[in-house]
Amino acid sequence: MANKAQQPPHLHLAEVTATQFLDIWKHFDADGNGYIEGKELENFFRELEMARRGAGVDPTNPTFRENMKEFMQKFDKNKDGRIEMSELAQILPTEENFLLCFRQFVSSSAEFMAAWRRYDTDRSGYIEANELKGFLSDLLEKANRHYDDQKLHEYTQTILRMFDLNGDGKLVSLLSGVKLNSEQFNAIFTYYDKDGNGYIDEQELEALLRDLYQKNKKDVDPESLTGYKKSIMSLSDGGKLYRGELEIVLCKDPLV
């Protein structure tokens, strides 16, 4: 008999909370690389089908493969053959899609940075956990999202689990200490947007991060680099990191 502790969480629910969503993500993104892919993807689809059908599913059945192909055609927005966090948020029946709400604020860089600076008053590059609650409250109010204290606490913990990379209870402005002015940012975005399509993909982002670390004489720790890349890409739109998202990560101030 399988160990109950290893069973996929929450897939049977009519709707999942922000915390449950993150539990599901961490369960199926077993290697923590920021994607559900390969065997992880097969396991996810099998367990999702079992939860929805209430019966076993045979992955060797040709019908299973056909259904999985149709599933990916519907939800794999950037057609890279894997599921990222923003795509999972479209798949699961979330009670109030908080993670997408959070990402929408990232797209509105001026509002996001104004809220960030209100709490990161000393420009240290991070917000303490207790300050994060007020920070999220500001963002939710601007989005006209209704919430109570319990829900705000849940959202705060969810965001910390997503972005507190070293577990010290601080929400770090990614690549803190590596900040560009508007002229530098425009130049670097244009340089790494090799194909000129208006966004940077995961491969272009990795090259950009490596060069920034070396330019600022910072040691390139592969684990930290992977963590930063994963967190930054979670702000992307279907694997596409537009100027607004990258601006928040790299700029001292929002562009006008």
Side-chain angles (χ1 to χ4, degrees), residues 150-217:
Q150 180 179 351
K151 190 59 63 179
L152 181 59
H153 176 76
E154 178 190 339
Y155 291 164
T156 302
Q157 294 306 308
T158 299
I159 291 298
L160 274 178
R161 288 177 63 192
M162 288 176 64
F163 296 105
D164 178 15
L165 299 180
N166 60 6
D168 66 356
K170 298 174 181 177
L171 181 66
V172 179
S173 178
L174 302 173
L175 286 177
S176 177
V178 182
K179 293 296 181 181
L180 309 174
N181 60 35
S182 59
E183 183 178 351
Q184 292 169 326
F185 173 80
N186 281 324
I188 203 169
F189 187 92
T190 300
Y191 178 80
Y192 285 97
D193 179 20
K194 299 290 188 184
D195 46 17
N197 56 10
Y199 61 83
I200 289 177
D201 61 25
E202 184 180 2
Q203 288 71 36
E204 293 167 335
L205 175 64
E206 182 166 346
L208 183 156
L209 293 178
R210 286 186 180 277
D211 287 353
L212 274 181
Y213 267 91
Q214 292 169 0
K215 181 178 180 181
N216 286 271
K217 296 181 172 56

Side-chain angles (χ1 to χ4, degrees), residues 21 66 68-69 101 103 106 129 135 147 181 240 249 254:
F21 175 92
E66 186 62 31
M68 186 172 173
K69 181 179 178 181
C101 172
R103 193 211 159 275
V106 174
F135 172 68
Y147 61 91
N181 60 35
K240 300 175 181 179
V249 177

Side-chain angles (χ1 to χ4, degrees), residues 103-115:
R103 193 211 159 275
Q104 287 167 4
F105 275 110
V106 174
S107 298
S108 179
S109 56
E111 288 189 357
F112 186 97
M113 291 302 296

Side-chain angles (χ1 to χ4, degrees), residues 12-52:
H12 64 286
L13 299 176
E15 58 184 21
V16 297
T17 65
T19 299
Q20 290 166 342
F21 175 92
L22 198 57
D23 286 342
I24 294 170
W25 175 261
K26 288 181 178 292
H27 179 89
F28 288 103
D29 179 23
D31 59 6
N33 72 344
Y35 300 95
I36 298 175
E37 57 186 344
K39 191 65 176 179
E40 298 169 342
L41 180 58
E42 182 179 309
N43 290 340
F44 169 71
F45 184 68
R46 184 184 70 249
E47 299 296 346
L48 184 64
E49 286 286 278
M50 289 175 61
R52 290 177 173 177

